[in-house]
Amino acid sequence: MHQRSAHRSLLVVGSVAYDDIDGPFGFHKDLLGGSASFIARAAAYFTKNVSVVGVVGDDFEQKYIDELSALGVDVSGIERTPGETFHWVGRYAPDLSTRETLDTRLGVFATFQPKIAEHQRDAQLVLLGNIDPALQLDVLRQVRAPALVAMDTMNLWINIKRDDLLKTLAKVHTLMINDEEARLLAEEHNLRRAAAKILKLGPTSLIIKRGDAGALLFHGGGAFAAPAMPLADVKDPTGAGDSFAGGLMGYLAYAGDLSPKTIRTAMIMGSVMGSFAVEKFSVDGIRDLTPARIQQRFDELTELVQFERVRL
Ligand code: AMP
């Protein structure tokens, strides 16, 4: 069904933002952030067939868009409109395990209407980064017949836009959220039971990201666990989930098929990219990586979970 071919095209829609981050390593202002910024950079290591749709204000530094372009990403869908770029302010707990949103300034995002250009409408893989679910649905109305649509969301939208979110969920194949969001969405604390409830809402697979506990994939055929790399030096978890999603979808675009085996490998690739992201602030952890470093961490992660099958 899904023939192995040249890299599949990946369309990414998400936020491009400035973040202010407070936490155990001090206060950092005006860092490059946004779901699409992480996703596109992570995915670009695997395929040159990535295009981004998003919006920035007139305060946004052009160099960040040029950087993406230099990685081979099609940035023609990043609009620049008068006003302030989306700005997110978050604070991490001293152990980095939890974070709270202190401020969300929508700026140009408040009136954003994603416009998918003709050449992007046939994208085979679509990744709806964390944005207003009504905008995510708007994107799905514009694309033709993607083989895989994955989406992310967050507690904000689950709380204030649940109806729109449920409509969007009914139209996607894969939902990628963190454990706290899964519990909130399903109104169920136990993750296995929460997953079963969420899979009744439309998606055929669910990926639950659990920070340094790794990620779980639930689908009709069962479950799969991808470990997180045990790291000695974690600076900023912002964008870990998006880098995971970018690595996963980028790898799927590269591999050219959506078999269960490929999806498992893609989960590990997601974990690899998430692990790089948290080692530095902003997108710095996933800047200037080499195929050799990605391969090395992939091998380390594989080794971490390699064990003998025994029969008792
Ligand atoms: P992650 O840590 O992977 O969940 O993603 C963090 C990124 O999400 C930050 O860079 C923020 O700019 C972005 N973000 C936070 N809140 C929102 C929101 N309400 N809509 C879109 N993007 C957001």
Side-chain angles (χ1 to χ4, degrees):
M1 188 171 57
H2 303 294
Q3 85 226 27
R4 192 171 259 277
S5 60
H7 298 186
R8 289 172 171 228
S9 46
L10 170 62
L11 171 66
V12 177
V13 184
S15 52
V16 180
Y18 280 128
D19 292 345
D20 297 344
I21 311 273
D22 200 6
F25 299 103
F27 184 69
H28 291 69
K29 208 174 151 25
D30 292 333
L31 299 173
L32 171 65
S35 50
S37 303
F38 290 98
I39 293 168
R41 276 178 179 73
Y45 286 103
F46 302 95
T47 171
K48 296 295 156 220
N49 222 338
V50 181
S51 63
V52 179
V53 169
V55 65
V56 295
D58 41 24
D59 56 346
F60 192 75
E61 286 194 65
Q62 181 62 30
K63 71 169 183 199
Y64 294 133
I65 298 176
D66 295 344
E67 250 176 44
L68 272 185
S69 186
L71 296 173
V73 175
D74 171 5
V75 295
S76 60
I78 304 181
E79 286 174 39
R80 186 183 283 278
T81 45
E84 199 201 356
T85 297
F86 178 84
H87 206 122
W88 178 73
V89 186
R91 180 165 57 211
Y92 285 90
D95 66 358
L96 292 173
S97 66
T98 53
R99 78 172 174 213
E100 55 175 327
T101 292
L102 300 181
D103 195 13
T104 300
R105 299 202 296 275
L106 289 179
V108 291
F109 234 94
T111 50
F112 177 52
Q113 294 290 321
K115 287 177 230 35
I116 311 302
E118 186 52 36
H119 72 282
Q120 296 168 322
R121 290 181 186 227
D122 287 316
Q124 290 143 317
L125 306 175
V126 176
L127 180 48
L128 304 169
N130 168 33
I131 53 172
D132 184 330
L135 298 184
Q136 293 175 319
L137 192 58
D138 203 19
V139 171
L140 293 186
R141 289 200 192 98
Q142 298 177 58
V143 293
R144 290 198 183 95
L148 178 67
V149 177
M151 71 174 274
D152 187 7
T153 192
M154 71 182 296
N155 44 11
L156 174 75
W157 310 120
I158 299 171
N159 284 324
I160 70 168
K161 293 241 173 162
R162 187 177 270 265
D163 289 349
D164 283 335
L165 179 62
L166 292 178
K167 278 188 212 147
T168 311
L169 259 185
K171 298 215 169 342
V172 306
H173 303 107
T174 302
L175 174 67
M176 303 184 190
I177 45 179
N178 69 29
D179 43 1
E180 185 195 327
E181 292 153 357
R183 291 183 170 115
L184 184 67
L185 177 60
E187 294 169 324
E188 165 67 58
H189 187 80
N190 178 283
L191 281 185
R192 188 120 215 182
R193 281 205 287 266
K197 279 179 91 171
I198 292 169
L199 288 176
K200 290 203 177 99
L201 300 174
T204 48
S205 63
L206 168 69
I207 294 169
I208 302 183
K209 300 167 286 182
R210 299 163 70 216
D212 63 8
L216 291 169
L217 164 71
F218 293 99
H219 55 104
F224 175 71
M229 189 70 201
L231 299 166
D233 215 0
V234 176
K235 286 269 155 39
D236 175 18
T238 309
D242 299 316
S243 303
F244 175 96
L248 185 148
M249 295 294 276
Y251 180 77
L252 290 179
Y254 158 83
D257 76 84
L258 296 171
S259 68
K261 217 166 128 183
T262 303
I263 289 173
R264 285 175 173 229
T265 309
M267 288 277 294
I268 305 293
M269 219 49 102
S271 196
V272 165
M273 298 312 289
S275 77
F276 283 122
V278 303
E279 290 182 315
K280 292 181 184 164
F281 279 88
S282 181
V283 300
D284 288 352
I286 54 168
R287 244 192 202 126
D288 304 325
L289 294 174
T290 58
R293 280 194 71 202
I294 294 173
Q295 180 71 56
Q296 186 192 9
R297 194 158 284 186
F298 180 84
D299 292 345
E300 282 167 12
L301 215 46
T302 310
E303 189 58 32
L304 193 69
V305 286
Q306 207 72 48
F307 54 88
E308 191 191 1
R309 262 178 199 269
V310 293
R311 293 193 74 84
L312 297 176

